[in-house]
Amino acid sequence: MGWTSDLSKDFIINESDRPDGMRSTDIDIDHSLPPSGFKTGYEKRDLSKFPVGSLEGAVGSTEFNKEVPLIPYDEFPERIREQEEKKTRLSDIRMIGNKGEPIPSLDQDGQGFCWTYSTAGGITLKRAAMGLPYIRLSGHSLANKLTKFQDRGGWCGWSTSEATKYGYVPASLWPEKSMDRKYDTAEAWAMAQNFRITEGFLDMDQRVYDMSLTFQQIASCILSGIPCPVDFDWWSHSILGMDLVYVSDKFPVTDIRCYGLRIWNSWRDAWGFLGTGVILGRKAVPMGATAIRNVTYYEGTAA
Amino acid sequence: MRLFQSIVILLALASTSLAQISVRQVSVVEVSEKSEKIGQFAVVPKDFKAKPFNIVHAKWETKVPQERIRIKLTDSNRRSVPYIDLKEEGIVVSQIGHFWLEVRGTHTYFDKTAQDIVFYEIDEEVDFFVDTLGPTPDPDPEPDDPDPPTPDKIDNLSVLIVYESALLPTYKKEHTAVIQSTDLRKWMNGNTSLDAQRFPNWRVLDKDTVFPVNSDIVYSKWLKTPPSTLPYLIIGNKDTIVFQGPLPESVEEVKTLITKYRK
């Protein structure tokens, strides 16, 4: 067997999908279940009403696909290997992004706002990559603005596209998990303008629940340091895609079973490995996805 | 994408009357042809240590063939220097210095075939006439100092790596490795200056990054003139830029450059 990613320290979310037979003993445990008190929040699609439009190969009707540069599949294994050796993955940047320490995972406890937290994580990670100070963002701020303080699900396409207008209020001004309307102030949203997405790959021809990227597009982005919020229908959950991992060399490099996606969840650091986990194989192909290329520059304290 | 190509430029010294008094051959390191721009390259004398003339900045506009291109000579501080445009014959500049030559063209220009850039091919030598309005150079200069001068070292050093996020997946993986390097980030934490909040003065930014309105942030100031070639590296402080050029393809090269200019 040739080189593959070392996943010995990783939290594998879907063990049963390991392609090489090297499965752990806790295969029957469903690692995708949220901890007590937590929710997911991705809204299940009515596929009869809104047909699948995000699986690889299915999105091809718009000019959008031509705009996202692709890294060839045959370069994936070597690039993954180099990134792991040189520690140039987004997860590596996360591990030093808080004055040399890991950036803590977000905490959506209580409400089904995963779809705003996945994008908040992407902005946080992009700021770290830019060299900007770590400022914790409130996923609840944008979620409550969009849902009018209703606890309901959504999609990363919704939060990403709205984050280009409103941004996120820092947790110092709108505490995480708070549904309190007293934080919904003009001053808070003026500050949120400093935490907007300014450039990304969003399929604006699609409705927010259909905004997606192919797996190759996602892989090309995260191999290039562009974080990708991703929605999974099977998990009813939205999280942040950080790294591509090489799981098996037993298949052609174009086979999805070769790969996995290391994701950053919003269920605190206690979940998985410091809040991260790996989704293997076909389940790593999301139902919806966006890419966060650039965010506003803000080097203040947001206090 | 066209391949890199080297060209040779003859740099001629002339008197105020432009009578050529000596010729010094210089070579262009390389010309990157990608997307809409030819790229930026340095005009460096082969015997780099021998330099009666070093830095000149100027712009040169001409038509090659039927298309407009712009040539800019810049120094490490991006200062402009008065010049006289002699069109096909070359340019006249009024002070002595190192030449950094930047060439840009329009999109349509580069949509065409390589024949359109015949102006830059190696057998098409370009003569630059440097009008030494100052003291006339010694026709028999003394042997060069074997020890090159120490570069300007500065306080409050800041570092900016510039890229275009839309093109990141198309960058060489060596460049991506530098842009994403945690090793370089950790090293820069200890080798760049600190701002008022004790935060290290380095950034890795998209060229289109949006800054706060009326910002006096040094990176905002530097990005007001977008680099012609990306990815790009700029080293300086709020008063001056001591280095700018294409991003090296290794972390160690970047560290060496920063060390070179850090006081």
Side-chain angles (χ1 to χ4, degrees):
Chain A
M1 185 173 169
W3 174 88
T4 55
S5 297
D6 177 9
L7 302 179
S8 59
K9 292 180 182 174
D10 273 293
F11 181 75
I12 306 298
I13 296 167
N14 53 330
E15 277 286 351
S16 60
D17 291 320
R18 255 190 212 271
D20 53 11
M22 298 170 65
R23 291 170 180 154
S24 67
T25 53
D26 59 354
I27 191 168
D28 294 329
I29 299 173
D30 186 351
H31 284 158
S32 68
L33 291 175
S36 175
F38 281 79
K39 285 186 178 180
T40 51
Y42 171 80
E43 192 161 301
K44 282 267 188 187
R45 292 262 299 281
D46 179 351
L47 294 176
S48 61
K49 194 174 177 183
F50 305 115
V52 172
S54 59
L55 291 176
E56 185 171 8
V59 175
S61 60
T62 68
E63 288 296 306
F64 172 70
N65 277 335
K66 299 175 186 171
E67 296 174 8
V68 186
L70 295 176
I71 294 172
Y73 270 106
D74 58 10
E75 292 184 19
F76 282 6
E78 181 61 17
R79 283 188 182 241
I80 295 169
R81 188 186 64 76
E82 283 191 12
Q83 287 201 333
E84 292 181 3
E85 279 183 7
K86 295 179 179 174
K87 294 194 179 302
T88 60
R89 299 165 297 184
L90 282 167
S91 62
D92 295 314
I93 289 176
R94 180 246 170 158
M95 295 301 281
I96 63 166
N98 181 19
K99 294 181 177 174
E101 299 297 320
I103 297 174
S105 301
L106 293 173
D107 180 2
Q108 67 165 100
D109 187 5
Q111 277 74 42
F113 291 153
C114 62
W115 52 282
T116 56
Y117 277 82
S118 56
T119 300
I123 295 173
T124 303
L125 202 47
K126 194 66 209 176
R127 282 178 50 84
M130 292 163 73
L132 293 170
Y134 163 59
I135 293 174
R136 195 169 180 83
L137 301 178
S138 170
H140 268 57
S141 64
L142 185 62
N144 279 311
K145 187 172 195 67
L146 300 182
T147 65
K148 298 182 171 52
F149 289 86
Q150 301 298 307
D151 179 8
R152 57 160 288 193
W155 313 270
C156 67
W158 193 11
S159 57
T160 302
S161 52
E162 297 298 329
T164 63
K165 288 184 283 187
Y166 301 117
Y168 282 76
V169 179
S172 57
L173 300 178
W174 189 315
E176 269 185 322
K177 300 174 282 185
S178 175
M179 302 289 284
D180 195 328
R181 291 174 185 269
K182 74 178 181 184
Y183 298 114
D184 187 19
T185 64
E187 292 76 16
W189 288 106
M191 176 56 79
Q193 287 292 300
N194 296 310
F195 302 95
R196 282 185 298 116
I197 296 169
T198 57
E199 293 181 282
F201 290 127
L202 283 74
D203 190 348
M204 301 303 284
D205 289 340
Q206 306 293 330
R207 297 187 182 190
V208 289
Y209 42 75
D210 250 347
M211 288 181 177
S212 194
L213 297 164
T214 66
F215 186 77
Q216 189 178 9
Q217 287 170 338
I218 293 168
S220 299
C221 284
I222 60 179
L223 284 173
S224 306
I226 301 171
C228 294
V230 285
D231 296 342
F232 292 103
D233 208 51
W234 61 266
W235 195 359
S236 298
H237 199 25
S238 182
I239 58 268
L240 183 72
M242 286 200 298
D243 306 331
L244 193 65
V245 298
Y246 191 47
V247 179
S248 173
D249 63 351
K250 292 183 177 178
F251 309 101
V253 290
T254 52
D255 192 314
I256 189 64
R257 289 174 292 181
C258 293
Y259 305 104
L261 193 61
R262 183 174 289 111
I263 56 93
W264 195 10
N265 206 341
S266 48
W267 292 344
R268 296 186 199 147
D269 282 350
W271 181 85
F273 177 73
L274 272 181
T276 70
V278 171
I279 304 171
L280 302 174
R282 287 188 180 87
K283 282 189 174 172
V285 181
M287 181 66 90
T290 61
I292 300 173
R293 283 174 23 218
N294 199 8
V295 300
T296 41
Y297 187 100
Y298 179 75
E299 59 182 24
T301 59
Chain B
M1 182 176 24
R2 300 184 195 110
L3 299 174
F4 290 99
Q5 59 179 283
S6 296
I7 66 173
V8 173
I9 291 178
L10 288 178
L11 177 63
L13 282 179
S15 70
T16 51
S17 63
L18 290 179
Q20 189 168 314
I21 58 172
S22 66
V23 174
R24 179 180 295 271
Q25 191 174 48
V26 297
S27 62
V28 170
V29 177
E30 59 186 8
V31 180
S32 169
E33 293 170 24
K34 188 177 175 182
S35 67
E36 299 178 2
K37 298 165 186 172
I38 286 180
Q40 186 174 51
F41 50 93
V43 182
V44 181
K46 278 187 174 174
D47 48 347
F48 194 71
K49 294 174 185 173
K51 45 181 183 303
F53 45 90
N54 289 330
I55 299 176
V56 174
H57 267 206
K59 289 182 179 177
W60 184 14
E61 288 192 350
T62 185
K63 290 190 176 182
V64 181
Q66 299 179 349
E67 293 285 350
R68 196 172 186 82
I69 65 165
R70 190 169 74 243
I71 294 178
K72 184 166 73 174
L73 286 170
T74 58
D75 68 7
S76 61
N77 293 321
R78 290 191 171 181
R79 282 191 293 260
S80 294
V81 174
Y83 67 97
I84 300 170
D85 185 351
L86 298 180
K87 302 299 178 186
E88 285 81 5
E89 294 181 49
I91 56 174
V92 176
V93 290
S94 59
Q95 70 185 65
I96 290 169
H98 275 157
F99 290 82
W100 288 86
L101 181 58
E102 182 180 328
V103 185
R104 294 185 181 184
T106 64
H107 181 70
T108 51
Y109 172 66
F110 292 106
D111 273 351
K112 296 189 176 180
T113 61
Q115 283 83 357
D116 285 341
I117 60 163
V118 64
F119 180 72
Y120 297 105
E121 290 183 347
I122 193 165
D123 56 347
E124 295 287 330
E125 294 172 346
V126 181
D127 290 331
F128 283 85
F129 296 89
V130 179
D131 183 8
T132 54
L133 295 174
T136 303
D138 184 349
D140 297 310
E142 292 293 316
D144 300 318
D145 182 354
D147 298 322
T150 305
D152 293 337
K153 289 184 178 288
I154 57 170
D155 290 319
N156 300 316
L157 181 139
S158 297
V159 176
L160 175 62
I161 293 174
V162 192
Y163 61 90
E164 168 51 65
S165 62
L167 297 176
L168 274 172
T170 69
Y171 282 179
K172 287 176 163 182
K173 62 182 181 181
E174 290 82 3
H175 276 143
T176 306
V178 175
I179 291 168
Q180 289 294 107
S181 173
T182 50
D183 173 40
L184 180 60
R185 282 169 166 79
K186 286 190 279 191
W187 186 87
M188 288 194 294
N189 284 344
N191 288 278
T192 58
S193 61
L194 300 176
D195 65 16
Q197 300 175 56
R198 309 290 297 164
F199 206 77
N201 276 321
W202 60 263
R203 298 289 185 273
V204 182
L205 303 180
D206 184 288
K207 71 176 178 56
D208 301 309
T209 295
V210 177
F211 292 88
V213 178
N214 299 326
S215 159
D216 63 349
I217 296 165
V218 66
Y219 314 108
S220 170
K221 184 174 137 191
W222 290 352
L223 284 179
K224 279 179 181 162
T225 307
S228 60
T229 307
L230 293 172
Y232 203 70
L233 175 66
I234 304 175
I235 302 171
N237 61 22
K238 66 181 178 60
D239 299 319
T240 187
I241 292 175
V242 290
F243 174 85
Q244 57 181 321
L247 180 68
E249 293 182 15
S250 83
V251 166
E252 292 310 312
E253 284 180 73
V254 177
K255 289 180 182 176
T256 300
L257 276 170
I258 294 171
T259 303
K260 182 177 173 183
Y261 293 105
R262 178 170 51 92
K263 189 176 273 185

